[in-house]
Every structure is written in C-alpha cells, then in structure tokens.
Amino acid sequence: MIGNRADIGHERARNSLPRPRSNRKVVEVALNAIVRRSAHTLFQKLVVVLATAVFAAGTTAAFAQAEMDLPDMGSPARAILSKNDEYGYGMMVERQLRSQNQILEDPETQEYIQSIGTRLAAQSQMGAADFHYYVIDDPDINAFSVPYFIFCNYGLILATQDESELAGVLAHETAHDTQHHIARELQAQTRQTIAAAAAMIAAILIGVAGGGAPAIEGGISAAQAMAAQEQINFTRGEEEEADRIGMQYLSEAGFDPEGMPDFFERLQQHYGYEEGLIPKFLLDHPVTSDRIADARARAAHMQRPKNLVDSTNYALIRERLRVLTASEDYDILGYYRKRLETRTPTLADQYGEAIALLKDNRPTDAVEVLEPLVSQYQSLTLLRSALGQAQVAAGQIHDGLTTFSQAETLFPRNVPLTVRYSEALIKVGRPKQAQRLLDDLFDNVEPTPRQIQLIAQAASDAGDKGDAYDYMGEYYISNGNFPLASYQLELALRQPHLTNVQRERIQARLDEVRDFLVQERRENHGRLPDGQLDLAP
C-alpha cells in the first residue's frame, strides 16, 4: 500500500491509516485547509492576494531601491497568508498545470530538477522538505514560482550553458518563495482592481482554456496592463532581493554564484539591451546593466567552489530533454550523427543518441551504444535504466531484467530506476513483482499521480482488483477529485477475497473521503465544487 497518503479528514484516523513521512505534514494540513473551505471563499481570497501582487508591481515599478536588509521573517507580512494557505494555493496551480498536461512527466528529469532545487532550498530558513520543483513542457525560455512550487520550462534548461546557470534561475525563484513576496505585496498595497484580479485568477487557475504556462503568462500580462504595468510581476526591490538571497543559496549549495548574472547577461546580450526587446522570460525578471553589475559585485564577495565541474547528470538530462521534446519532423538522429563525428564524442551526446534511437524504435542499436557506456560509467543510473529499457524493447528480456535487477540492488528505491523496472516487468507479464517493487518505493517516497496509476495498473494486471481500485482512489485524491475517489474505494470494498486488514484500511480511507464530501456540501449549500461529479447514491 502507498504509505504517503494525504490527510483529508478534520481528525485524522492515525491508528487506521499508514503514518506519513514527516515531510508530508504540510501537504496534509494544506489539503485539509483547502477542502474544508468553500470554493467561493477560497477563490475570493486568492483573487485578492494575487491581484494585489500584480497591482503592486504596477504602482512601484519605477522606484529604485538601495541595498535592502534581510526581511524580518516574523513581520506582519508573513501573517497575511498562513503557511497552509500559501501551500494550498501553490498546490492548486500545480494541479491545474498537471491537469492540462503542462508538467513534463518524465521521472528521470523530475528527479534531477528536484535534486537541484532541494540543494538550494535547504540553504533557507524554511528548509527543503516542502518545496517542489517541476519542468514544464514548453520550449520558451521561462521560469516562474508560486508558494512552495517552482516551475522551469525545458527550453530554459536547454538554454543554459552550465549547471550553475540553471541553479541560478531556480535559486532566484526559490528566494521569491522563501521571502513570501506575494504576502508582502498584499501587505504593501491596500487597493486593487476587480478586473485585474479576475484576469489574474483566471490565468492562474484556469490556464485560459487549457493554455497552460504560456496562457498563465499571457493572463498575468493582461492583468498587469490593466493595472498600468506591463512587464513586472514583483517590484524591482523584490527582484533585487530575490537576486541577493538566491545568490546566497547558490553559493552555500556549492554552485558558482556567478551563474545567475552570467545567464541573465547572456540573454540580454543576445536579445538586446532595451528591456522591450528582452524575451518573455525576462518580462517577469527585468534585467538592466546596473542589476547585472550589482549581482556581479555581490558574487565577487561570495565563496566560489574550487575546481567546480557540472554534474554528469546535468549534461545527460539536457540531451534527454532535447530528444524527448524534439518534434516529429526534426532529424534528431542526424543532429547526433554530426556531433559524434568528432574524435572524442562526449558521454552526453552518446546518451542522447541512444535515447533518440529508442524514440525511433531502434532498441537494438540503442543497446549497442549503451552497453559499453554502462561498463565504463557504472555509477550512472540514467545509463543503466536506459540500457534495461532498450534490452527489453529489443526482445532481450533476460538481459534487460538482469540489468534492472542489478541496478536495483546497487541503487535501491531510486525512483526513475524503480519506475522503469516496474514498467518493464508489467510489459513482460510480471505485474505482481512490479506491484511489490512500487509498494516498497511508495511507502518511502511520495508518488506522482501518474506513478499511482502505474501501480494501479500493476495490481489490476496481477488480478488484485481490490488493490487496483484502492490505488485509483488514491490517484483521484491526489488530483483533488474526491467523488471519484469515493467511487473507486467503494468498488474496492465490493471485491471478494479482501483480507481484514485491507478491508479496514480501505473503509477508513472511504470514511475520510465521505466526511470531507459531507462537509464540502454543507459549506457549498448542498453542492460540490465545480468540476467534481456527484456520484453519491
């Protein structure tokens, strides 16, 4: 069973459900805060918060601010939004982007970007446990953040030239969150326009009819224009603060603090020095020569790691993204053929070629590329996982499962590796083994909704319909669809051959969901929130 389950009841059945890890506490509390509040009240509050932040930017964009002291984290600004509210609002945006398939669902990429973000957030007073980092399936050079959730387009990752540049962008966005800039803007401004607020909330929560991240930016821009400010979300003072705090995180996490100004300056030089010519990544992060100079001056006084080199995974993930996001009419294999004509082809280019061969349904050729690489670089799980996938796809079932088994022994509970191993096991008709692997993984690591679907598929293929319906209940809970979660849990209880432990656990979970639905109907005058189908008998 999945050990990390969101708390959806007002009083948690601690003795009936598996106890979550400590880093799930805020998720559970935030979810409880969301579901216990009517949709109207929640949206109304979010409208005020976000629209005010936008309006504030419009009224303060022209002022230049001297070096600021670190904010007092105990100041009234932090009290404008509670931690639960901040997390809940961030989760709403994450769910909206996920529902529109804007989040890149690739476990290898997800693990990498989260590892970089965790290193950075760990340097803050808030710690890293509650922060989530995602890659958006968008070629534009852009990144943005909402409380506790940081999003980075794959186009930005491809545009960076080293790992410190990527970390610099993530550090900047992380600093916006740790300094609670939305709450501070709300405190700073007491006036806002209803029109700007409506445009902002529509862009963030609805994604303008499914437009996702680009639509969010467009909606934000519209709201800013209505507030007489077209280019800046945060005030310049807050941008400078995010630079300064972010560079501290960057340095303390072992990256080069020059990475942030290096990336901004290179974009500015490429697109021109006039702010109106800067691409939309910098519309939310206006860059001037003075700002870059200030950042470089700070970096000169910060600790820089000696003999710093990028992680191998940085280069591999960039090539992985290049292949996974390449259009069907682009000759990605031709791209790698040209790059591999050199006498000393890079590991990243060889890995990229192997992933491109897999994508082109040529797994046998991919095996020929990957086997010597795995022998040479035995510590890289990305290579082992790709080799196992290629071998299974090429019909080399025994070799592929052996590759995965050996890797799982060496790197237990590595999320991408375990997920790929489980996918292979399901493919070759061993779903029960896949279910056991995923059960063990998700008892220790929080799964994504898609990964919950995978374990549900494994249970279904193994003939364990009770667990399959139970897992799908958790899937719908993770997406905030509690009526469908209730329906799946009811189906689970109807299955024969459940053990007493299974039945008690599923019933306890169903009781939590039902309690929530009763409370939600009460707070919404007998109705469920928009988008949730009432399946009550």
Side-chain angles (χ1 to χ4, degrees), residues 109-153:
T109 301
Q110 176 57 40
E111 182 189 50
Y112 172 74
I113 203 71
Q114 182 66 43
S115 70
I116 298 297
T118 296
R119 283 176 62 183
L120 297 166
Q123 312 310 316
S124 72
Q125 294 178 343
M126 296 167 62
D130 302 320
F131 282 88
H132 300 266
Y133 296 79
Y134 296 99
V135 174
I136 298 294
D137 189 6
D138 193 317
D140 289 330
I141 301 173
N142 207 357
F144 62 97
S145 64
V146 292
Y148 294 98
F149 292 80
I150 290 86
F151 304 92
C152 172
N153 288 4

mmCIF file of all heavy atoms in Angstrom, residues 109-153:
data_model
loop_
_atom_site.group_PDB
_atom_site.id
_atom_site.type_symbol
_atom_site.label_atom_id
_atom_site.label_comp_id
_atom_site.label_asym_id
_atom_site.label_seq_id
_atom_site.Cartn_x
_atom_site.Cartn_y
_atom_site.Cartn_z
ATOM 1 N N THR A 109 13.919 13.246 -15.477
ATOM 2 C CA THR A 109 14.021 14.700 -15.440
ATOM 3 C C THR A 109 13.506 15.247 -14.121
ATOM 4 O O THR A 109 14.103 16.158 -13.534
ATOM 5 C CB THR A 109 13.230 15.311 -16.612
ATOM 6 O OG1 THR A 109 13.757 14.818 -17.843
ATOM 7 C CG2 THR A 109 13.310 16.819 -16.598
ATOM 8 N N GLN A 110 12.394 14.680 -13.632
ATOM 9 C CA GLN A 110 11.815 15.152 -12.380
ATOM 10 C C GLN A 110 12.779 14.963 -11.212
ATOM 11 O O GLN A 110 12.958 15.856 -10.377
ATOM 12 C CB GLN A 110 10.502 14.419 -12.102
ATOM 13 C CG GLN A 110 9.854 14.764 -10.770
ATOM 14 C CD GLN A 110 9.571 16.240 -10.625
ATOM 15 O OE1 GLN A 110 9.142 16.892 -11.578
ATOM 16 N NE2 GLN A 110 9.808 16.791 -9.439
ATOM 17 N N GLU A 111 13.423 13.806 -11.164
ATOM 18 C CA GLU A 111 14.356 13.565 -10.060
ATOM 19 C C GLU A 111 15.519 14.550 -10.104
ATOM 20 O O GLU A 111 15.941 15.075 -9.070
ATOM 21 C CB GLU A 111 14.895 12.143 -10.104
ATOM 22 C CG GLU A 111 15.845 11.838 -8.941
ATOM 23 C CD GLU A 111 16.552 10.505 -9.089
ATOM 24 O OE1 GLU A 111 17.121 10.259 -10.157
ATOM 25 O OE2 GLU A 111 16.537 9.729 -8.126
ATOM 26 N N TYR A 112 16.005 14.833 -11.300
ATOM 27 C CA TYR A 112 17.146 15.743 -11.412
ATOM 28 C C TYR A 112 16.782 17.156 -10.970
ATOM 29 O O TYR A 112 17.485 17.764 -10.154
ATOM 30 C CB TYR A 112 17.683 15.767 -12.840
ATOM 31 C CG TYR A 112 18.732 16.833 -13.033
ATOM 32 C CD1 TYR A 112 20.006 16.664 -12.503
ATOM 33 C CD2 TYR A 112 18.435 18.029 -13.683
ATOM 34 C CE1 TYR A 112 20.971 17.660 -12.635
ATOM 35 C CE2 TYR A 112 19.387 19.025 -13.817
ATOM 36 C CZ TYR A 112 20.655 18.838 -13.293
ATOM 37 O OH TYR A 112 21.598 19.828 -13.410
ATOM 38 N N ILE A 113 15.689 17.702 -11.506
ATOM 39 C CA ILE A 113 15.349 19.092 -11.192
ATOM 40 C C ILE A 113 15.001 19.237 -9.712
ATOM 41 O O ILE A 113 15.310 20.251 -9.074
ATOM 42 C CB ILE A 113 14.202 19.594 -12.099
ATOM 43 C CG1 ILE A 113 14.233 21.127 -12.180
ATOM 44 C CG2 ILE A 113 12.846 19.105 -11.629
ATOM 45 C CD1 ILE A 113 15.382 21.677 -12.967
ATOM 46 N N GLN A 114 14.380 18.208 -9.135
ATOM 47 C CA GLN A 114 14.073 18.253 -7.704
ATOM 48 C C GLN A 114 15.359 18.207 -6.874
ATOM 49 O O GLN A 114 15.458 18.876 -5.838
ATOM 50 C CB GLN A 114 13.157 17.095 -7.316
ATOM 51 C CG GLN A 114 12.738 17.077 -5.849
ATOM 52 C CD GLN A 114 11.848 18.248 -5.471
ATOM 53 O OE1 GLN A 114 10.936 18.616 -6.211
ATOM 54 N NE2 GLN A 114 12.099 18.850 -4.311
ATOM 55 N N SER A 115 16.345 17.456 -7.320
ATOM 56 C CA SER A 115 17.595 17.371 -6.561
ATOM 57 C C SER A 115 18.313 18.712 -6.536
ATOM 58 O O SER A 115 18.872 19.103 -5.495
ATOM 59 C CB SER A 115 18.506 16.291 -7.167
ATOM 60 O OG SER A 115 19.017 16.681 -8.432
ATOM 61 N N ILE A 116 18.300 19.450 -7.646
ATOM 62 C CA ILE A 116 18.919 20.773 -7.675
ATOM 63 C C ILE A 116 18.142 21.733 -6.766
ATOM 64 O O ILE A 116 18.719 22.471 -5.959
ATOM 65 C CB ILE A 116 18.966 21.328 -9.111
ATOM 66 C CG1 ILE A 116 19.822 20.433 -10.002
ATOM 67 C CG2 ILE A 116 19.519 22.752 -9.116
ATOM 68 C CD1 ILE A 116 21.259 20.336 -9.605
ATOM 69 N N GLY A 117 16.827 21.718 -6.897
ATOM 70 C CA GLY A 117 16.013 22.591 -6.056
ATOM 71 C C GLY A 117 16.162 22.305 -4.580
ATOM 72 O O GLY A 117 16.229 23.229 -3.755
ATOM 73 N N THR A 118 16.238 21.029 -4.228
ATOM 74 C CA THR A 118 16.377 20.659 -2.821
ATOM 75 C C THR A 118 17.685 21.190 -2.247
ATOM 76 O O THR A 118 17.727 21.678 -1.097
ATOM 77 C CB THR A 118 16.309 19.133 -2.666
ATOM 78 O OG1 THR A 118 15.008 18.689 -3.076
ATOM 79 C CG2 THR A 118 16.552 18.712 -1.229
ATOM 80 N N ARG A 119 18.758 21.106 -3.010
ATOM 81 C CA ARG A 119 20.038 21.648 -2.551
ATOM 82 C C ARG A 119 19.926 23.133 -2.252
ATOM 83 O O ARG A 119 20.498 23.634 -1.274
ATOM 84 C CB ARG A 119 21.124 21.428 -3.609
ATOM 85 C CG ARG A 119 21.672 20.030 -3.677
ATOM 86 C CD ARG A 119 22.661 19.888 -4.822
ATOM 87 N NE ARG A 119 23.836 20.750 -4.677
ATOM 88 C CZ ARG A 119 24.807 20.839 -5.578
ATOM 89 N NH1 ARG A 119 24.733 20.110 -6.700
ATOM 90 N NH2 ARG A 119 25.839 21.641 -5.377
ATOM 91 N N LEU A 120 19.200 23.851 -3.083
ATOM 92 C CA LEU A 120 19.061 25.292 -2.901
ATOM 93 C C LEU A 120 18.149 25.635 -1.729
ATOM 94 O O LEU A 120 18.497 26.445 -0.859
ATOM 95 C CB LEU A 120 18.519 25.914 -4.190
ATOM 96 C CG LEU A 120 19.418 25.788 -5.417
ATOM 97 C CD1 LEU A 120 18.647 26.119 -6.686
ATOM 98 C CD2 LEU A 120 20.641 26.694 -5.283
ATOM 99 N N ALA A 121 16.979 25.008 -1.701
ATOM 100 C CA ALA A 121 16.009 25.322 -0.647
ATOM 101 C C ALA A 121 16.536 24.933 0.726
ATOM 102 O O ALA A 121 16.154 25.539 1.747
ATOM 103 C CB ALA A 121 14.684 24.616 -0.927
ATOM 104 N N ALA A 122 17.411 23.940 0.793
ATOM 105 C CA ALA A 122 17.980 23.521 2.072
ATOM 106 C C ALA A 122 18.807 24.617 2.715
ATOM 107 O O ALA A 122 19.063 24.579 3.924
ATOM 108 C CB ALA A 122 18.832 22.271 1.878
ATOM 109 N N GLN A 123 19.225 25.614 1.941
ATOM 110 C CA GLN A 123 20.023 26.706 2.498
ATOM 111 C C GLN A 123 19.152 27.770 3.161
ATOM 112 O O GLN A 123 19.670 28.660 3.832
ATOM 113 C CB GLN A 123 20.861 27.361 1.388
ATOM 114 C CG GLN A 123 21.617 26.389 0.503
ATOM 115 C CD GLN A 123 22.421 25.376 1.280
ATOM 116 O OE1 GLN A 123 23.106 25.713 2.251
ATOM 117 N NE2 GLN A 123 22.338 24.110 0.862
ATOM 118 N N SER A 124 17.842 27.703 2.972
ATOM 119 C CA SER A 124 16.936 28.706 3.532
ATOM 120 C C SER A 124 16.521 28.335 4.947
ATOM 121 O O SER A 124 16.681 27.192 5.389
ATOM 122 C CB SER A 124 15.688 28.840 2.654
ATOM 123 O OG SER A 124 14.847 27.693 2.796
ATOM 124 N N GLN A 125 15.987 29.300 5.652
ATOM 125 C CA GLN A 125 15.482 29.049 6.999
ATOM 126 C C GLN A 125 14.302 28.096 6.983
ATOM 127 O O GLN A 125 14.029 27.410 7.965
ATOM 128 C CB GLN A 125 15.072 30.371 7.664
ATOM 129 C CG GLN A 125 16.225 31.324 7.939
ATOM 130 C CD GLN A 125 15.759 32.621 8.559
ATOM 131 O OE1 GLN A 125 14.578 32.955 8.516
ATOM 132 N NE2 GLN A 125 16.691 33.365 9.145
ATOM 133 N N MET A 126 13.597 28.036 5.866
ATOM 134 C CA MET A 126 12.413 27.188 5.767
ATOM 135 C C MET A 126 12.764 25.727 5.513
ATOM 136 O O MET A 126 11.929 24.853 5.700
ATOM 137 C CB MET A 126 11.495 27.704 4.654
ATOM 138 C CG MET A 126 10.940 29.092 4.915
ATOM 139 S SD MET A 126 10.169 29.822 3.460
ATOM 140 C CE MET A 126 8.830 28.680 3.156
ATOM 141 N N GLY A 127 13.985 25.446 5.048
ATOM 142 C CA GLY A 127 14.351 24.078 4.733
ATOM 143 C C GLY A 127 13.761 23.637 3.409
ATOM 144 O O GLY A 127 12.966 24.349 2.782
ATOM 145 N N ALA A 128 14.132 22.443 2.989
ATOM 146 C CA ALA A 128 13.776 21.984 1.647
ATOM 147 C C ALA A 128 12.585 21.046 1.603
ATOM 148 O O ALA A 128 12.079 20.746 0.516
ATOM 149 C CB ALA A 128 14.985 21.274 1.014
ATOM 150 N N ALA A 129 12.102 20.584 2.761
ATOM 151 C CA ALA A 129 11.153 19.466 2.773
ATOM 152 C C ALA A 129 9.859 19.755 2.007
ATOM 153 O O ALA A 129 9.288 18.857 1.402
ATOM 154 C CB ALA A 129 10.823 19.079 4.212
ATOM 155 N N ASP A 130 9.404 21.007 2.021
ATOM 156 C CA ASP A 130 8.089 21.311 1.460
ATOM 157 C C ASP A 130 8.143 21.899 0.055
ATOM 158 O O ASP A 130 7.103 22.221 -0.515
ATOM 159 C CB ASP A 130 7.346 22.284 2.382
ATOM 160 C CG ASP A 130 7.185 21.713 3.778
ATOM 161 O OD1 ASP A 130 6.919 20.504 3.879
ATOM 162 O OD2 ASP A 130 7.352 22.458 4.759
ATOM 163 N N PHE A 131 9.325 22.053 -0.510
ATOM 164 C CA PHE A 131 9.445 22.666 -1.823
ATOM 165 C C PHE A 131 9.412 21.622 -2.936
ATOM 166 O O PHE A 131 10.006 20.553 -2.810
ATOM 167 C CB PHE A 131 10.743 23.478 -1.917
ATOM 168 C CG PHE A 131 10.664 24.805 -1.225
ATOM 169 C CD1 PHE A 131 10.984 24.925 0.120
ATOM 170 C CD2 PHE A 131 10.252 25.939 -1.912
ATOM 171 C CE1 PHE A 131 10.895 26.140 0.768
ATOM 172 C CE2 PHE A 131 10.158 27.155 -1.275
ATOM 173 C CZ PHE A 131 10.480 27.265 0.067
ATOM 174 N N HIS A 132 8.733 21.978 -4.018
ATOM 175 C CA HIS A 132 8.594 21.081 -5.163
ATOM 176 C C HIS A 132 9.035 21.814 -6.425
ATOM 177 O O HIS A 132 8.673 22.975 -6.638
ATOM 178 C CB HIS A 132 7.146 20.622 -5.311
ATOM 179 C CG HIS A 132 6.623 19.887 -4.117
ATOM 180 N ND1 HIS A 132 6.651 18.524 -4.012
ATOM 181 C CD2 HIS A 132 6.068 20.341 -2.965
ATOM 182 C CE1 HIS A 132 6.135 18.155 -2.850
ATOM 183 N NE2 HIS A 132 5.781 19.243 -2.199
ATOM 184 N N TYR A 133 9.789 21.115 -7.257
ATOM 185 C CA TYR A 133 10.322 21.691 -8.489
ATOM 186 C C TYR A 133 9.867 20.828 -9.672
ATOM 187 O O TYR A 133 9.942 19.603 -9.608
ATOM 188 C CB TYR A 133 11.850 21.760 -8.435
ATOM 189 C CG TYR A 133 12.353 22.684 -7.346
ATOM 190 C CD1 TYR A 133 12.384 22.275 -6.018
ATOM 191 C CD2 TYR A 133 12.776 23.984 -7.646
ATOM 192 C CE1 TYR A 133 12.816 23.124 -5.020
ATOM 193 C CE2 TYR A 133 13.213 24.835 -6.654
ATOM 194 C CZ TYR A 133 13.231 24.399 -5.337
ATOM 195 O OH TYR A 133 13.659 25.248 -4.336
ATOM 196 N N TYR A 134 9.420 21.494 -10.734
ATOM 197 C CA TYR A 134 8.900 20.775 -11.886
ATOM 198 C C TYR A 134 9.430 21.387 -13.173
ATOM 199 O O TYR A 134 9.750 22.586 -13.237
ATOM 200 C CB TYR A 134 7.370 20.834 -11.918
ATOM 201 C CG TYR A 134 6.695 20.140 -10.760
ATOM 202 C CD1 TYR A 134 6.231 20.857 -9.662
ATOM 203 C CD2 TYR A 134 6.520 18.753 -10.765
ATOM 204 C CE1 TYR A 134 5.606 20.218 -8.596
ATOM 205 C CE2 TYR A 134 5.902 18.112 -9.709
ATOM 206 C CZ TYR A 134 5.455 18.849 -8.624
ATOM 207 O OH TYR A 134 4.850 18.211 -7.573
ATOM 208 N N VAL A 135 9.473 20.562 -14.216
ATOM 209 C CA VAL A 135 9.820 21.030 -15.551
ATOM 210 C C VAL A 135 8.536 21.111 -16.368
ATOM 211 O O VAL A 135 7.747 20.157 -16.408
ATOM 212 C CB VAL A 135 10.830 20.086 -16.235
ATOM 213 C CG1 VAL A 135 11.067 20.518 -17.679
ATOM 214 C CG2 VAL A 135 12.148 20.074 -15.466
ATOM 215 N N ILE A 136 8.326 22.266 -16.999
ATOM 216 C CA ILE A 136 7.149 22.492 -17.827
ATOM 217 C C ILE A 136 7.479 22.130 -19.272
ATOM 218 O O ILE A 136 8.563 22.435 -19.783
ATOM 219 C CB ILE A 136 6.693 23.964 -17.743
ATOM 220 C CG1 ILE A 136 6.298 24.312 -16.305
ATOM 221 C CG2 ILE A 136 5.537 24.246 -18.690
ATOM 222 C CD1 ILE A 136 5.088 23.573 -15.796
ATOM 223 N N ASP A 137 6.552 21.478 -19.939
ATOM 224 C CA ASP A 137 6.736 21.043 -21.323
ATOM 225 C C ASP A 137 6.507 22.229 -22.260
ATOM 226 O O ASP A 137 5.477 22.335 -22.930
ATOM 227 C CB ASP A 137 5.766 19.903 -21.635
ATOM 228 C CG ASP A 137 6.041 19.252 -22.983
ATOM 229 O OD1 ASP A 137 7.051 19.609 -23.622
ATOM 230 O OD2 ASP A 137 5.250 18.387 -23.395
ATOM 231 N N ASP A 138 7.478 23.125 -22.295
ATOM 232 C CA ASP A 138 7.353 24.365 -23.057
ATOM 233 C C ASP A 138 8.745 24.784 -23.527
ATOM 234 O O ASP A 138 9.668 24.852 -22.722
ATOM 235 C CB ASP A 138 6.733 25.456 -22.181
ATOM 236 C CG ASP A 138 6.285 26.668 -22.985
ATOM 237 O OD1 ASP A 138 7.045 27.096 -23.878
ATOM 238 O OD2 ASP A 138 5.199 27.206 -22.707
ATOM 239 N N PRO A 139 8.911 25.079 -24.828
ATOM 240 C CA PRO A 139 10.237 25.433 -25.339
ATOM 241 C C PRO A 139 10.679 26.850 -25.013
ATOM 242 O O PRO A 139 11.851 27.190 -25.197
ATOM 243 C CB PRO A 139 10.079 25.258 -26.857
ATOM 244 C CG PRO A 139 8.633 25.541 -27.104
ATOM 245 C CD PRO A 139 7.908 24.994 -25.907
ATOM 246 N N ASP A 140 9.772 27.701 -24.556
ATOM 247 C CA ASP A 140 10.147 29.076 -24.249
ATOM 248 C C ASP A 140 11.139 29.123 -23.086
ATOM 249 O O ASP A 140 11.121 28.274 -22.195
ATOM 250 C CB ASP A 140 8.917 29.908 -23.890
ATOM 251 C CG ASP A 140 8.041 30.188 -25.098
ATOM 252 O OD1 ASP A 140 8.587 30.271 -26.205
ATOM 253 O OD2 ASP A 140 6.816 30.309 -24.913
ATOM 254 N N ILE A 141 11.974 30.142 -23.097
ATOM 255 C CA ILE A 141 12.923 30.342 -22.002
ATOM 256 C C ILE A 141 12.181 31.054 -20.879
ATOM 257 O O ILE A 141 11.960 32.268 -20.936
ATOM 258 C CB ILE A 141 14.139 31.165 -22.480
ATOM 259 C CG1 ILE A 141 14.833 30.453 -23.624
ATOM 260 C CG2 ILE A 141 15.109 31.409 -21.336
ATOM 261 C CD1 ILE A 141 15.940 31.265 -24.272
ATOM 262 N N ASN A 142 11.788 30.287 -19.887
ATOM 263 C CA ASN A 142 10.954 30.880 -18.837
ATOM 264 C C ASN A 142 10.991 30.038 -17.573
ATOM 265 O O ASN A 142 11.294 28.837 -17.617
ATOM 266 C CB ASN A 142 9.504 31.019 -19.303
ATOM 267 C CG ASN A 142 8.788 32.160 -18.595
ATOM 268 O OD1 ASN A 142 9.363 32.810 -17.727
ATOM 269 N ND2 ASN A 142 7.549 32.397 -18.964
ATOM 270 N N ALA A 143 10.699 30.681 -16.458
ATOM 271 C CA ALA A 143 10.546 30.024 -15.163
ATOM 272 C C ALA A 143 9.645 30.906 -14.316
ATOM 273 O O ALA A 143 9.606 32.131 -14.507
ATOM 274 C CB ALA A 143 11.898 29.827 -14.479
ATOM 275 N N PHE A 144 8.909 30.306 -13.399
ATOM 276 C CA PHE A 144 8.051 31.075 -12.505
ATOM 277 C C PHE A 144 7.806 30.268 -11.241
ATOM 278 O O PHE A 144 8.082 29.063 -11.185
ATOM 279 C CB PHE A 144 6.726 31.452 -13.180
ATOM 280 C CG PHE A 144 5.877 30.278 -13.576
ATOM 281 C CD1 PHE A 144 4.839 29.843 -12.764
ATOM 282 C CD2 PHE A 144 6.097 29.613 -14.777
ATOM 283 C CE1 PHE A 144 4.051 28.760 -13.134
ATOM 284 C CE2 PHE A 144 5.321 28.536 -15.155
ATOM 285 C CZ PHE A 144 4.296 28.109 -14.335
ATOM 286 N N SER A 145 7.298 30.945 -10.237
ATOM 287 C CA SER A 145 7.056 30.266 -8.971
ATOM 288 C C SER A 145 5.756 30.742 -8.357
ATOM 289 O O SER A 145 5.309 31.869 -8.589
ATOM 290 C CB SER A 145 8.214 30.512 -7.987
ATOM 291 O OG SER A 145 8.302 31.888 -7.666
ATOM 292 N N VAL A 146 5.137 29.852 -7.613
ATOM 293 C CA VAL A 146 4.050 30.167 -6.694
ATOM 294 C C VAL A 146 4.475 29.568 -5.366
ATOM 295 O O VAL A 146 5.439 28.810 -5.315
ATOM 296 C CB VAL A 146 2.713 29.578 -7.184
ATOM 297 C CG1 VAL A 146 2.245 30.276 -8.456
ATOM 298 C CG2 VAL A 146 2.826 28.076 -7.413
ATOM 299 N N PRO A 147 3.818 29.906 -4.274
ATOM 300 C CA PRO A 147 4.316 29.434 -2.973
ATOM 301 C C PRO A 147 4.591 27.931 -2.938
ATOM 302 O O PRO A 147 3.710 27.121 -3.197
ATOM 303 C CB PRO A 147 3.199 29.837 -2.017
ATOM 304 C CG PRO A 147 2.648 31.081 -2.631
ATOM 305 C CD PRO A 147 2.688 30.832 -4.110
ATOM 306 N N TYR A 148 5.839 27.597 -2.655
ATOM 307 C CA TYR A 148 6.335 26.232 -2.456
ATOM 308 C C TYR A 148 6.448 25.420 -3.744
ATOM 309 O O TYR A 148 6.860 24.263 -3.695
ATOM 310 C CB TYR A 148 5.471 25.469 -1.442
ATOM 311 C CG TYR A 148 5.560 26.028 -0.058
ATOM 312 C CD1 TYR A 148 4.588 26.898 0.435
ATOM 313 C CD2 TYR A 148 6.628 25.699 0.770
ATOM 314 C CE1 TYR A 148 4.668 27.417 1.718
ATOM 315 C CE2 TYR A 148 6.721 26.218 2.057
ATOM 316 C CZ TYR A 148 5.739 27.077 2.524
ATOM 317 O OH TYR A 148 5.835 27.605 3.796
ATOM 318 N N PHE A 149 6.107 25.976 -4.883
ATOM 319 C CA PHE A 149 6.163 25.250 -6.146
ATOM 320 C C PHE A 149 6.909 26.110 -7.170
ATOM 321 O O PHE A 149 6.491 27.242 -7.448
ATOM 322 C CB PHE A 149 4.767 24.907 -6.659
ATOM 323 C CG PHE A 149 4.040 23.902 -5.803
ATOM 324 C CD1 PHE A 149 3.412 24.289 -4.630
ATOM 325 C CD2 PHE A 149 3.993 22.561 -6.168
ATOM 326 C CE1 PHE A 149 2.749 23.360 -3.830
ATOM 327 C CE2 PHE A 149 3.335 21.636 -5.380
ATOM 328 C CZ PHE A 149 2.711 22.031 -4.206
ATOM 329 N N ILE A 150 7.979 25.565 -7.718
ATOM 330 C CA ILE A 150 8.800 26.292 -8.687
ATOM 331 C C ILE A 150 8.759 25.536 -10.008
ATOM 332 O O ILE A 150 8.937 24.311 -10.038
ATOM 333 C CB ILE A 150 10.253 26.446 -8.198
ATOM 334 C CG1 ILE A 150 10.317 27.433 -7.022
ATOM 335 C CG2 ILE A 150 11.152 26.951 -9.309
ATOM 336 C CD1 ILE A 150 10.069 26.835 -5.686
ATOM 337 N N PHE A 151 8.532 26.262 -11.086
ATOM 338 C CA PHE A 151 8.375 25.665 -12.410
ATOM 339 C C PHE A 151 9.411 26.252 -13.370
ATOM 340 O O PHE A 151 9.638 27.463 -13.379
ATOM 341 C CB PHE A 151 6.965 25.926 -12.948
ATOM 342 C CG PHE A 151 5.872 25.449 -12.042
ATOM 343 C CD1 PHE A 151 5.312 26.294 -11.100
ATOM 344 C CD2 PHE A 151 5.415 24.139 -12.115
ATOM 345 C CE1 PHE A 151 4.312 25.856 -10.249
ATOM 346 C CE2 PHE A 151 4.416 23.692 -11.273
ATOM 347 C CZ PHE A 151 3.859 24.544 -10.329
ATOM 348 N N CYS A 152 10.002 25.380 -14.166
ATOM 349 C CA CYS A 152 11.052 25.772 -15.099
ATOM 350 C C CYS A 152 10.773 25.109 -16.445
ATOM 351 O O CYS A 152 10.635 23.890 -16.516
ATOM 352 C CB CYS A 152 12.411 25.333 -14.544
ATOM 353 S SG CYS A 152 13.804 25.533 -15.661
ATOM 354 N N ASN A 153 10.665 25.899 -17.508
ATOM 355 C CA ASN A 153 10.444 25.338 -18.839
ATOM 356 C C ASN A 153 11.660 24.540 -19.293
ATOM 357 O O ASN A 153 12.802 24.907 -19.009
ATOM 358 C CB ASN A 153 10.172 26.447 -19.850
ATOM 359 C CG ASN A 153 8.806 27.082 -19.670
ATOM 360 O OD1 ASN A 153 8.072 26.760 -18.752
ATOM 361 N ND2 ASN A 153 8.483 28.011 -20.558
#
